[in-house]
Amino acid sequence: MGTRITAVRGATTASVNSPKAIAAAVTELLRKLLKTNRLSGSSLIAALFTATRDLDAAFPAEAARALGMTRVPLLCAQETPVKGAPRRCLRVLLLARADRPLKSLYL
């Protein structure tokens, strides 16, 4: 099987609504997703981040830029507010080139 475009998801929560906590949560999630799936910056195509309404202190994509994802298109959006959904939740959908199935992570 050759290289194909595929996607992988991940989610985590921030301890509080602060730029530092959001950056720490996103950084941990991205590092683990990339390591687990043996992905490098050159294999990434794009990333879509979502955050719940209670996280408005920072853009999740800022943490990705700080990790070196400077050539990858990034987009942030707000989660649909659903009763009972996890609080302070951050999610990412990474599009990548890979020759194998990728493993989603939920921290």
Side-chain angles (χ1 to χ4, degrees):
M1 180 166 86
T3 301
R4 61 188 175 96
I5 296 174
T6 189
V8 63
R9 297 184 316 154
T12 191
T13 56
S15 57
V16 295
N17 181 30
S18 73
K20 186 175 180 179
I22 292 169
V26 171
T27 298
E28 177 188 29
L29 177 60
L30 288 175
R31 283 187 175 150
K32 287 184 177 182
L33 267 174
L34 295 174
K35 182 177 180 180
T36 297
N37 290 291
R38 300 184 323 262
L39 294 172
S40 65
S42 62
S43 63
L44 297 179
I45 297 169
L48 170 63
F49 296 90
T50 63
T52 50
R53 294 170 83 174
D54 52 359
L55 292 177
D56 61 3
F59 292 108
E62 288 176 328
R65 291 279 182 240
L67 277 177
M69 294 175 67
T70 58
R71 295 180 175 254
V72 179
L74 307 175
L75 179 67
C76 295
Q78 188 177 80
E79 283 279 333
T80 303
V82 175
K83 289 181 183 180
R87 295 183 45 181
R88 297 184 310 274
C89 188
L90 297 152
R91 301 178 200 273
V92 64
L93 174 68
L94 293 177
L95 299 176
R97 290 177 198 84
D99 58 0
R100 65 202 169 281
L102 302 180
K103 182 180 187 317
S104 295
L105 292 177
Y106 303 97
L107 307 181

